[in-house]
Amino acid sequence: MTPPLALTALPQEQVATTPNPGGNALLDLVNKIGPPEWIPDWIVALHAVGAGVGILIGIVSLIAMYSVWMERKVSGHMQCRLGPMYAGGWHGWAQTIADGVKLLMKEDMIPTGADRVLFIIAPGIVLASIFGALVAFPISYDFYFARMDLGIFMILALGSTTTIGVIMAGWASNSKWSLYGAMREAAQVIAYEIPLGLALMAPLITLGTFSLLDASALQSDWFGMKWAIFTNPANLPAFVIFWIAALAETKRAPFDLPEAESELVAGFLTEYSGIRWSFFFMEEYAAMFLMSVIAAMFWFGGFESPATWALRSAGVEGGIFFGAVCFVTLVIKAFAGVFLMMWLRWTLPRVRIDQVMTMGYKYLTPLALLCVLIAAVSEAVKSLLF
Amino acid sequence: MVEQTQEYKPSIQPSEEGRVLPSGEREFFFDVSTSDLEVNMGPQHPATHGVMRVLLRTDGELVTGAQPHLGYLHRGAEKIGENVEWLQYLPYTDRYDYLAAMNNNLGYSLAVEALMPGLEIPRRATLIRTICAELNRIASHLIAFGTYGLDIGAFTPFFYAFREREWIQALFEKICGARLTYSYIRIGGVFNEAPPGWLKEVEHFCDVFEEKWKEYYDLLALNHIFVMRTKDIGVITPEMAYDFGLTGPMLRGSGIDFDLRRDMPYMDYTEIWEAGAYQIPLGSGEKGTLGDCWDRFDVRVKEMIESIKIVRYCLGVIEPGPVLGDVPKVIKVPPGEAYVGIENPRGELGHYSHSDGGKVAVRCRVRGPSFVNLAVLEDLMPGTLLADSVAIIGSTDIVVGETDR
Amino acid sequence: MNQDVLLQRGFYTIVALAGLGAMGAGLSSWGPAGLAFALFAFLTLAGALVCIWERSVVRSAFALMATFTGVAGFFALLGADFLAMAQILIYVGGILALILFGVMLTPPDMGERKLTRIGWATAIIGGGFAFVAVRVGGKVGSWAASPDELPAMETKARDIGIAFLHPEQYVVAFELAAYLLTVALVAAVYIARRRTGDFQLQEGQMEERA
Amino acid sequence: MVSTKEYFQNVWDALKTTAIGMRITGKYLMQKPITVQYPDERLPIPDRYRGIHYLEQEKCINCLACARACPIDCIEMDAIRHGKELEWVAFTLDYQKCMFCELCVYPCPKDCIHMGTEFALVTYDRSELNHDLLSFQGMGRGARIRMREAQAKKAAKEKAKAAAAAKKADTEKDADEPEAAGAGTGGDE
């Protein structure tokens, strides 16, 4: 019996293979340096993991810091203001650092009647899950924390656990507004995970891989512009659906219902202050970045751009310089996504909770299914034609 | 955690008898009752536009009852009016509807002038009064527009609205020296002649504002999310509007064509109306039901452009002349009583003044439109969602300073 | 300090110490894989214990998160990373959120509960039985892998996809499961349908609440 | 229920109006902001600005017209009159109360109290908000000399008067001693 059409569409060889097919780049690096024989392997492994966690924390803090700064500048200029201008000198670049220091100094307040344990661990869960999801974030073709065949699946899975932290925060605060925020978050995230995953299916069908690195490598033709969004008619609408669902998943306006400041004061954040509060914000901005990375990887070519194509055709592949170009390309694409999220936030009003549900279940889910269908059909047609 | 308003009953219980649906079908499903939650919206809440408190009873996201509580900003304004001289009360009128202080000044001045039949107001003063009152109506509606955007969750229109409002305030600052509490329109005319070039600047403002106004409409009023959030929400039927004695955009949003500027004319509004300079925008039910939040919002936004037309008319006919009638330094008002209602941005602002011929009023009474319009909340809120209740409070455009006085 | 609080603290202390001990034992005997195994075992068991011990329903529900995560960890250790991620995505991200959503709507006095003696007895007997079953099964059957021979994580999503869709493999089971889930979904929607079709409370209900 | 046409109309409307909104915000993103950096740049303050008062003390005649016109009685003034000259004791304005209504400016017969353009009223202590509007305690140098002369003249006159009175009192001392003693203690108070 012959396998069905969909399976023949993508021959096994088409999945690009990058030089390092599996494992942890850091561990390889450590092994290359060659630690003394007498140190047990597992200590070396733990150190590699520790270094990875350190780099991740650095990345998350940097992303959060500069996304916050960018948000303030973008919103400021959209509203005919300037945004922060003093701290640090040039356009207030150190404003977020100053704010962070202030938040660290703030009194650690836990409301009376709050569930202390849950109140304390909730920001931790939120931050831990976003760290976990960021493990799948590749820095370049040769440097990554974990090369996984299931990278996108892992990001979605671990990213969805932030919900539990938010619900926990809302419930533990012992405030009615927080409880409302938590319930909205629960309802909203459950509703939007479906269209998010379904919309992602369209480029996954186009590219035929779950791995972020492979997805990027597959889009390297056409002078580095064979981006999935150009290669399948379903991918553009799928991107729009994905983007709307991503806004809802990251609690960004117009879907910022869990913290709707005009309705619920600050939702689940009402009782939080100081460094715990900033954890939620780091999560929010890291999640925005992560969603943008997914979009960049699966729709907009990942590391690939004419620059990487030129380098590759000049024979420069691998090595620090190529890696840096890859990384910069990805970060530019990701921050373009973050900027789009900000632009939408400062343009649109907030959606009501029943409309959020209607939109998720009645509009996005069926349309995303339609996109999956179109993507599959057009892939099959393509494989028949070419 | 959850405050209970009634004794706990098992959450799931069968309905005593199924409801009969319009289709004739009888409904038999378990009535899942969650416990009600009583929430204080305010006095410190971002949606209440000041220190107003609404006690909400909610079932999940559904509001089942609402009770506005007043008095957090009560300063005894009316009693003060009975203790200070006629002119000295003028700065206090600034402070009840602090977003439309010119209109308050105007209302009070007209009420006192009604008791002084010998006093003649120069034409130039009347026209400057009209310009100021209409500019202040625009400034006030800009706040209503911006903060309504904030309530619905859009930040940026607020800043655009404030940009133009600041311009109006700068104009007022030039003519009277204050940005919020103007005390400019006084008994007998206005305090100062407009500085040279001021009227030109107003004209320039009118030109720019007309362009910006289109942007407001596109950015917020026609936005699909905004329309979905505000249509069919907080519907005030025309009957309801009559019954509650609503005035201003709240009334016109329900489609009732009533505007004090035309129907109980004061100053020279009759002349402007007869010249065809302005229309009275009415709620049309264009996006949803007649009298919903969108209609009220729409009326406010459209009134801004009508005010611009009035200002333009006044700029066309204004001529040099005195700006203050013949009033003594210490005003003594002949005995009598008078009530004058004017069209404030929020509705009918009535001033009742009663004089016994002395330097001080015997009775000073103010009918604040916000206070009257607030009463309708209790009927509008039940059955809406929590987010809708915010939209409804926003669409009433309350100024708490005026509600409590 | 009352007895309840003392009891609770004692319980958590014992659980934490047991967890530390288990991790130490795992590390010393099997190295990093053993440490990971012990960690996930601790998460699973401690989560389950807290879930039945805690008197607040919401805390119980949150404790389930640890259990689900621990189970996902086992899957990952066994090389089934797809299953591990699915476990987290579906159980932690979806089902637990749903449980919490329901639990948070319960009134507080219903939320507090205490494990009765019968409950304890059932838990102990059931747990013991399961333990014995696993030990015996491990001895008798061939499916008990020791952690030092864990398979490498090399599952290809592609292989899973092919397995599901290939006519010679699991396509029938896959399709059947899909139909079953679709039917269940439609049925759930039908049952949960609000027949009045609008959000307005009925008048009688309003008065009753007022 | 929405019809199929309405369904796709909704999708289209949502996307279209979002695009329109984004065009407007995007346009302003590219434009120059309208705000100014406050402590460094300041907007021009119009001449009529109603800020903290200033007093042209030479002109003021201590007629209390402004204090009387004030709706909240926040102006307090006191001066000792020496013929035409005034020795100022106090002219304070309590900015905790003042509403900057300008009503004190109009009744002034000498046009000597004005609203200034200074608006910053930040202090560490509320009592500092009770501003003293006097720029100098008294008068100019010439006036001071004239006043001192007048004072000396007056003092001499009074001295002479007192001496005369003392002489007179001495003669009547026996007659009403208790009364004089009572008046003396009253004066000390």
Side-chain angles (χ1 to χ4, degrees):
Chain A
M1 207 187 264
T2 52
L5 195 64
L7 295 184
T8 56
L10 267 177
Q12 188 80 29
E13 308 80 63
Q14 198 185 321
V15 178
T17 45
T18 39
N20 200 341
N24 180 326
L26 278 167
L27 199 55
D28 296 343
L29 199 70
V30 171
N31 284 332
K32 211 183 280 176
I33 294 165
E37 285 291 314
W38 50 270
I39 299 178
D41 277 354
W42 62 270
I43 289 187
V44 175
L46 275 187
H47 275 78
V49 170
V53 169
I55 294 172
L56 265 183
I57 291 175
I59 288 177
V60 171
S61 325
L62 270 178
I63 291 167
M65 219 170 254
Y66 281 95
S67 304
V68 170
W69 178 77
M70 184 178 158
E71 172 110 66
R72 295 177 69 170
K73 292 307 274 191
V74 166
S75 67
H77 283 271
M78 274 181 184
Q79 295 160 354
C80 305
R81 300 182 285 123
L82 282 161
M85 286 297 281
Y86 280 95
W90 184 77
H91 279 270
W93 66 270
Q95 182 66 47
T96 329
I97 299 173
D99 283 345
V101 171
K102 183 206 79 176
L103 287 172
L104 275 169
M105 302 273 184
K106 270 183 107 166
E107 187 191 348
D108 179 26
M109 276 198 287
I110 299 175
T112 326
D115 191 328
R116 285 184 70 91
V117 179
L118 296 185
F119 191 85
I120 289 168
I121 63 176
I125 286 179
V126 164
L127 208 55
S129 55
I130 208 70
F131 276 153
L134 267 173
V135 165
F137 164 58
I139 289 172
S140 81
Y141 281 123
D142 306 323
F143 196 77
Y144 37 78
F145 303 109
R147 182 194 168 84
M148 310 182 85
D149 194 35
L150 292 166
I152 180 63
F153 203 47
M154 169 157 170
I155 292 178
L156 287 186
L158 287 175
S160 72
T161 51
T162 54
T163 318
I164 305 297
V166 170
I167 297 172
M168 197 184 273
W171 190 81
S173 298
N174 193 19
S175 155
K176 289 166 185 172
W177 300 118
S178 301
L179 190 67
Y180 276 126
M183 294 205 294
R184 285 180 171 192
E185 165 82 6
Q188 182 174 321
V189 167
I190 291 169
Y192 276 79
E193 240 155 48
I194 304 160
L196 185 81
L198 283 177
L200 204 49
M201 286 309 288
L204 289 180
I205 288 170
T206 317
L207 298 168
T209 178
F210 271 1
S211 157
L212 275 75
L213 288 171
D214 287 349
S216 169
L218 279 168
Q219 301 174 60
S220 60
D221 285 355
W222 300 2
F223 311 107
M225 292 296 281
K226 197 193 175 188
W227 296 355
I229 197 156
F230 304 133
T231 53
N232 194 314
N235 280 352
L236 182 63
F239 172 69
V240 174
I241 293 166
F242 170 81
W243 203 247
I244 295 169
L247 287 174
E249 283 281 295
T250 50
K251 308 185 280 295
R252 292 287 296 182
F255 300 100
D256 57 344
L257 288 110
E259 43 173 304
E261 69 293 304
S262 63
E263 295 153 24
L264 305 184
V265 190
F268 64 94
L269 289 169
T270 309
E271 305 296 337
Y272 276 91
S273 67
I275 194 69
R276 285 193 229 288
W277 179 83
S278 75
F279 281 176
F280 286 105
F281 263 69
M282 279 167 84
E283 182 270 330
E284 180 175 333
Y285 285 97
M288 278 164 73
F289 182 76
L290 208 57
M291 286 296 170
S292 305
V293 165
I294 294 175
M297 277 290 181
F298 286 94
W299 274 277
F300 297 100
F303 299 126
E304 299 301 331
S305 67
T308 43
W309 176 83
L311 279 178
R312 192 176 281 137
S313 53
V316 187
E317 192 167 1
I320 298 278
F321 181 65
F322 186 71
V325 170
C326 285
F327 179 67
V328 169
T329 313
L330 182 65
V331 166
I332 287 173
K333 285 174 183 173
F335 269 95
V338 172
F339 171 75
L340 184 59
M341 282 188 171
M342 289 171 184
W343 194 355
L344 282 165
R345 173 176 181 181
W346 297 108
T347 302
L348 293 176
R350 191 180 302 113
V351 187
R352 200 170 59 208
I353 184 71
D354 64 319
Q355 289 163 357
V356 169
M357 295 295 126
T358 312
M359 199 163 160
Y361 286 121
K362 287 190 186 165
Y363 285 82
L364 296 187
T365 308
L367 290 177
L369 276 171
L370 201 65
C371 282
V372 174
L373 187 68
I374 296 171
V377 168
S378 54
E379 278 307 306
V381 169
K382 254 195 314 193
S383 71
L384 285 179
L385 289 180
F386 308 113
Chain B
M1 179 71 233
V2 178
E3 257 181 49
Q4 273 186 280
T5 51
Q6 59 205 46
E7 287 224 331
Y8 171 66
K9 281 182 284 183
S11 284
I12 297 180
Q13 51 190 345
S15 0
E16 282 173 9
E17 54 185 52
R19 284 176 286 187
V20 180
L21 299 176
S23 61
E25 194 187 351
R26 191 170 271 270
E27 191 182 44
F28 287 109
F29 67 98
F30 283 90
D31 188 14
V32 181
S33 73
T34 45
S35 57
D36 282 2
L37 202 62
E38 277 198 354
V39 199
N40 270 316
M41 189 179 259
Q44 307 275 319
H45 186 281
T48 51
H49 296 208
V51 280
M52 189 180 74
R53 173 172 162 229
V54 184
L55 189 64
L56 290 178
R57 204 167 53 248
T58 62
D59 176 11
E61 285 266 343
L62 203 63
V63 176
T64 56
Q67 178 78 53
H69 285 246
L70 310 178
Y72 289 90
L73 207 58
H74 182 68
R75 293 154 297 180
E78 289 174 6
K79 199 69 197 168
I80 292 173
E82 291 153 26
N83 285 289
V84 295
E85 288 172 21
W86 292 104
L87 190 56
Q88 284 183 348
Y89 186 56
L90 198 67
Y92 289 99
T93 62
D94 287 338
R95 280 154 178 85
Y96 27 82
D97 183 354
Y98 38 75
L99 297 180
M102 284 285 186
N103 297 65
N104 298 350
N105 293 163
L106 178 64
Y108 178 69
S109 303
L110 287 174
V112 180
E113 281 158 14
L115 290 176
M116 302 164 81
L119 182 64
E120 195 177 316
I121 316 295
R123 171 135 173 98
R124 187 177 171 85
T126 309
L127 287 172
I128 289 183
R129 278 176 169 194
T130 315
I131 292 172
C132 286
E134 293 304 324
L135 281 180
N136 206 340
R137 187 188 312 279
I138 296 171
S140 171
H141 281 340
L142 279 172
I143 290 265
F145 163 84
T147 52
Y148 198 48
L150 276 187
D151 285 341
I152 302 295
F155 276 83
T156 308
F158 178 72
F159 286 90
Y160 294 165
F162 257 69
R163 184 184 56 198
E164 267 71 65
R165 182 181 153 81
E166 285 291 313
W167 192 344
I168 295 175
Q169 284 180 333
L171 287 173
F172 284 158
E173 199 181 11
K174 277 182 185 147
I175 201 170
C176 73
R179 295 178 71 85
L180 192 69
T181 49
Y182 311 110
S183 304
Y184 177 62
I185 296 168
R186 62 167 285 176
I187 301 159
V190 295
F191 267 114
N192 296 320
E193 170 62 86
W198 191 80
L199 296 172
K200 275 262 167 353
E201 280 178 52
V202 172
E203 201 164 353
H204 178 48
F205 169 78
C206 292
D207 294 341
V208 177
F209 185 81
E210 275 173 1
E211 284 170 28
K212 304 283 186 194
W213 180 83
K214 290 192 193 83
E215 273 177 16
Y216 299 157
Y217 218 71
D218 283 346
L219 181 61
L220 192 59
L222 293 181
N223 186 287
H224 189 66
I225 297 177
F226 181 82
V227 172
M228 294 297 282
R229 277 295 303 274
T230 49
K231 74 170 190 186
D232 301 335
I233 299 301
V235 177
I236 304 177
T237 57
E239 295 78 33
M240 227 171 134
Y242 272 125
D243 292 349
F244 278 95
L246 303 181
T247 45
M250 295 276 284
L251 179 72
R252 292 193 285 277
S254 296
I256 298 172
D257 194 1
F258 179 73
D259 189 314
L260 289 176
R261 286 176 294 181
R262 183 195 60 196
D263 298 327
M264 283 167 66
Y266 52 97
M267 297 204 304
D268 48 2
Y269 277 113
T270 323
E271 178 199 324
I272 303 172
W273 173 259
E274 278 162 6
Y278 68 105
Q279 265 97 49
I280 291 162
L282 294 178
S284 55
E286 183 187 333
K287 298 286 176 188
T289 326
L290 180 67
D292 57 8
C293 288
W294 195 87
D295 276 348
R296 290 195 282 281
F297 176 80
D298 186 46
V299 164
R300 286 199 183 93
V301 177
K302 282 183 177 152
E303 262 181 25
M304 288 200 259
I305 211 76
E306 299 302 329
S307 291
I308 285 284
K309 288 182 194 162
I310 297 176
V311 171
R312 277 189 193 282
Y313 177 85
C314 293
L315 290 172
V317 298
I318 197 164
E319 278 162 12
V323 292
L324 190 57
D326 187 20
V327 271
K329 270 190 178 172
V330 175
I331 295 166
K332 282 193 178 173
V333 175
E337 45 190 313
Y339 173 88
V340 174
I342 67 156
E343 187 69 29
N344 216 36
R346 278 161 196 80
E348 179 180 352
L349 175 76
H351 273 92
Y352 166 78
S353 43
H354 183 181
S355 170
D356 61 352
K359 291 195 285 185
V360 177
V362 173
R363 179 80 176 96
C364 174
R365 169 86 178 93
V366 183
R367 180 223 190 258
S370 292
F371 177 70
V372 181
N373 292 352
L374 189 68
V376 80
L377 277 188
E378 214 172 328
D379 274 31
L380 284 188
M381 302 266 256
T384 59
L385 292 175
L386 194 63
D388 292 338
S389 68
V390 171
I392 293 168
I393 294 176
S395 80
T396 54
D397 192 19
I398 300 278
V399 169
V400 183
E402 186 184 54
T403 313
D404 294 346
R405 288 193 294 283
Chain C
M1 201 180 286
N2 65 25
Q3 204 185 346
D4 273 4
V5 176
L6 267 179
L7 208 63
Q8 207 170 0
R9 297 217 171 146
F11 169 76
Y12 281 120
T13 316
I14 291 168
V15 168
L17 286 176
L20 281 178
M23 272 183 260
L27 188 62
S28 62
S29 50
W30 299 313
L35 178 67
F37 177 78
L39 185 71
F40 291 132
F42 169 67
L43 269 181
T44 314
L45 292 177
L49 272 177
V50 172
C51 182
I52 56 166
W53 174 273
E54 258 302 334
R55 293 178 61 180
S56 141
V57 180
V58 179
R59 277 191 174 198
S60 287
F62 281 123
L64 275 180
M65 185 186 178
T67 308
F68 290 148
T69 317
V71 172
F74 285 139
F75 285 139
L77 279 183
L78 292 169
D81 47 357
F82 185 84
L83 216 49
M85 291 309 145
Q87 166 84 10
I88 289 182
L89 183 69
I90 294 164
Y91 279 91
V92 181
I95 290 182
L96 185 54
L98 266 181
I99 292 174
L100 284 168
F101 192 73
V103 156
M104 276 195 300
L105 292 172
T106 53
D109 50 350
M110 197 177 149
E112 294 260 326
R113 82 265 154 83
K114 201 171 181 178
L115 210 57
T116 55
R117 277 185 199 159
I118 299 171
W120 269 115
T122 320
I124 289 168
I125 292 169
F129 186 74
F131 180 73
V132 169
V134 168
R135 291 309 294 174
V136 170
K139 287 272 188 290
V140 175
S142 60
W143 42 270
S146 76
D148 52 350
E149 48 194 57
L150 293 173
M153 275 206 271
E154 275 177 2
T155 329
K156 285 268 182 198
R158 196 180 176 78
D159 300 340
I160 298 172
I162 289 173
F164 274 142
L165 291 182
H166 204 284
E168 286 168 12
Q169 293 186 39
Y170 302 103
V171 70
V172 178
F174 182 68
E175 290 290 318
L176 277 180
Y179 283 126
L180 182 70
L181 285 176
T182 313
V183 168
L185 202 67
V186 171
V189 168
Y190 180 76
I191 292 169
R193 191 168 63 112
R194 215 182 236 278
R195 290 179 204 190
T196 43
D198 64 351
F199 250 113
Q200 299 282 331
L201 276 185
Q202 297 301 306
E203 292 209 346
Q205 217 170 343
M206 261 315 295
E207 280 156 22
E208 189 190 306
R209 301 229 160 137
Chain D
M1 275 316 280
V2 288
S3 66
T4 317
K5 195 188 155 204
E6 242 177 293
Y7 184 92
F8 287 104
Q9 185 70 38
N10 276 341
V11 174
W12 171 245
D13 276 357
L15 292 174
K16 192 182 127 196
T17 54
T18 305
I20 291 173
M22 284 172 79
R23 203 195 66 222
I24 292 168
T25 46
K27 189 182 95 190
Y28 283 112
L29 179 70
M30 294 299 142
Q31 281 182 5
K32 212 168 168 280
I34 55 152
T35 51
V36 294
Q37 290 299 95
Y38 164 60
D40 300 340
E41 312 164 36
R42 291 178 186 224
L43 292 169
I45 293 174
D47 302 337
R48 285 184 188 171
Y49 187 76
R50 305 209 300 243
I52 297 171
H53 301 73
Y54 69 88
L55 180 69
E56 289 178 57
Q57 205 180 334
E58 300 88 345
K59 288 197 207 161
C60 183
I61 52 167
N62 192 23
C63 68
L64 297 175
C66 52
R68 235 178 271 127
C70 182
I72 26 183
D73 301 336
C74 67
I75 305 177
E76 280 185 20
M77 53 206 291
D78 191 11
I80 299 166
R81 197 172 286 274
H82 302 293
K84 274 199 154 185
E85 316 290 344
L86 291 176
E87 186 189 348
W88 282 99
V89 177
F91 194 119
T92 60
L93 227 150
D94 192 350
Y95 285 103
Q96 290 179 65
K97 293 185 197 166
C98 180
M99 1 188 230
F100 298 94
C101 61
E102 215 182 1
L103 286 183
C104 51
V105 174
Y106 298 106
C108 183
K110 294 284 177 182
D111 195 17
C112 67
I113 185 165
H114 306 280
M115 307 291 275
T117 51
E118 186 56 48
F119 54 85
L121 273 168
V122 188
T123 59
Y124 284 104
D125 189 355
R126 278 194 188 186
S127 63
E128 288 169 34
L129 284 173
N130 200 354
H131 278 219
D132 195 346
L133 292 189
L134 297 175
S135 46
F136 55 92
Q137 202 77 25
M139 301 143 285
R141 192 163 167 270
R144 208 178 281 266
I145 294 165
R146 278 203 305 279
M147 198 187 84
R148 217 170 282 146
E149 283 167 359
Q151 258 175 350
K153 220 181 265 173
K154 202 176 175 187
K157 219 184 210 171
E158 266 175 20
K159 216 176 182 180
K161 215 182 203 171
K167 213 184 245 173
K168 203 178 174 189
D170 269 344
T171 55
E172 294 169 7
K173 198 180 175 182
D174 300 325
D176 45 14
E177 195 179 5
E179 207 180 279
T185 51
D188 284 343
E189 281 172 10

